[in-house]
Amino acid sequence: MDPIVSKKWLLARMYEPDLVIVDCRFELGRPTAGQEAFAQSHIPGTIYLDLEVDLSSPVSTYGGRHPLPDPDVLAKRLSQAGISNNSRIVAYDDQGGMYASRLWWLLRWLGHDSVYVMDEGFSAWKDGGYPITDAQPTIIPASFVPNLRHDMLADMNEVKQSLSDHGVLLVDSRDASRYAGEQEPIDAKAGHIPGAINSFWKQVLDDSGAWKSDQLLSSQFSRLTEAMDKGQEAIIYCGSGVSACPNVLALHKLGYSQVKLYAGSWSDWISYEENPVATGEE
């Protein structure tokens, strides 16, 4: 099944007992904004999971700005939120699917396939006249047992080894100016990992903010898919392992399995002083 589901699809199934809807709204620089937006209005029955509280570990010396959560800690949080191994999960946000895709990736990393991202996001749901509420959901705890897929993840050493490996293609998901090192509003160094190509994550969306068709996605990722069709592996990164997730999702949607996320991403890479930095175009 397509990992991107429509508003109408969700509306038709939102009260089915095995379905859990998760609000992932968040704003960098305003860490309480998502929770406040959820308290004001959300899709009925939805639970809220916070990028930094629930879907990341605390920041340390290495690991980037949004380190992956400990799998057992995340599994416990999912259980508390009423998510079991038998649940179908639909995630949404209001930021083009960036944060919802993080939850999609995390659940698949934990071995759970029945997870989807709602197309267009909460504002489109609300503006379309679909039901909303400010009522807090009643949560019945469940049991989620993780079964980690280690092959979905790349660490810094694997990325470093890929610099001299023609069988691996590095993909930077940040916007072109950050990739080129022309500006860096967040991290301590500007530029990209040497050899990486640039594919800004927002290019998975059309002008209306909806996900592009598979045909358009295939055209957009042609350089990457041609390489993977020849047996190459892709490692996707961004600033902190969040906005890379829509690109990973898009490639999964197109049927490519040899795709890894460098979860620490640029913010982890530059935390090692000896790591090389490139600027400009590749």
Side-chain angles (χ1 to χ4, degrees):
M1 181 177 156
D2 196 313
I4 303 297
V5 297
S6 68
K7 302 187 298 295
K8 287 183 179 178
W9 185 96
L10 181 56
L11 180 68
R13 294 164 178 82
M14 59 190 292
Y15 295 111
E16 293 179 0
D18 66 328
L19 193 77
V20 181
I21 309 171
V22 184
D23 187 319
C24 298
R25 283 177 287 176
F26 188 83
E27 287 184 32
L28 291 173
R30 289 187 59 215
T32 62
Q35 183 72 62
E36 289 165 4
F38 176 78
Q40 190 173 49
S41 62
H42 51 263
I43 297 173
T46 298
I47 61 166
Y48 181 77
L49 292 177
D50 184 277
L51 171 67
E52 294 184 346
V53 176
D54 304 310
L55 307 182
S56 305
S57 289
V59 175
S60 59
T61 305
Y62 302 109
R65 284 183 280 107
H66 293 109
L68 288 184
D70 177 274
D72 292 326
V73 172
L74 178 56
K76 183 179 179 181
R77 178 69 188 97
L78 295 172
S79 299
Q80 292 169 341
I83 295 172
S84 78
N85 296 89
N86 297 318
S87 299
R88 286 180 298 159
I89 299 104
V90 177
Y92 71 85
D93 58 35
D94 224 0
Q95 288 81 17
M98 178 169 70
Y99 301 112
S101 295
R102 166 82 164 202
L103 178 60
W104 172 87
W105 187 90
L106 286 171
L107 281 161
R108 287 188 48 78
W109 177 56
L110 295 185
H112 193 79
D113 288 328
S114 297
V115 55
Y116 311 96
V117 170
M118 186 185 81
D119 201 6
E120 299 179 275
F122 180 74
S123 287
W125 175 278
K126 182 179 178 181
D127 294 345
Y130 292 80
I132 60 170
T133 184
D134 61 359
Q136 293 295 316
T138 301
I139 296 174
I140 302 171
S143 175
F144 188 95
V145 180
N147 182 20
L148 272 190
R149 289 172 166 145
H150 298 283
D151 60 350
M152 288 179 58
L153 186 62
D155 63 13
M156 190 280 294
N157 288 319
E158 189 172 348
V159 173
K160 205 165 190 176
Q161 289 169 4
S162 77
L163 301 187
S164 56
D165 185 351
H166 295 299
V168 178
L169 193 58
L170 276 175
V171 182
D172 188 313
S173 304
R174 298 170 301 161
D175 72 64
S177 64
R178 288 183 70 194
Y179 164 82
E182 294 165 1
Q183 59 147 341
E184 182 45 67
I186 303 172
D187 292 310
K189 291 181 182 178
H192 60 267
I193 300 172
I197 64 170
N198 184 224
S199 184
F200 185 32
W201 77 269
K202 283 190 177 179
Q203 291 174 335
V204 304
L205 307 174
D206 65 20
D207 292 339
S208 71
W211 275 73
K212 289 178 178 175
S213 67
D214 285 2
Q215 185 178 4
L216 288 174
L217 286 175
S218 186
S219 175
Q220 177 194 314
F221 285 107
S222 59
R223 180 178 174 187
L224 190 50
T225 55
E226 283 170 13
M228 289 193 290
D229 285 338
K230 295 174 183 174
Q232 280 187 280
E233 179 183 277
I235 297 177
I236 318 294
Y237 76 91
C238 55
S240 67
V242 179
S243 65
C245 293
N247 275 345
V248 176
L249 193 163
L251 290 166
H252 171 82
K253 188 168 152 55
L254 293 174
Y256 292 93
S257 58
Q258 69 272 42
V259 180
K260 293 184 178 182
L261 174 69
Y262 175 23
S265 286
W266 179 248
S267 53
D268 177 60
W269 180 260
I270 61 172
S271 66
Y272 298 87
E273 283 296 324
E274 69 275 15
N275 281 350
V277 168
T279 55
E281 296 298 319
E282 290 284 349

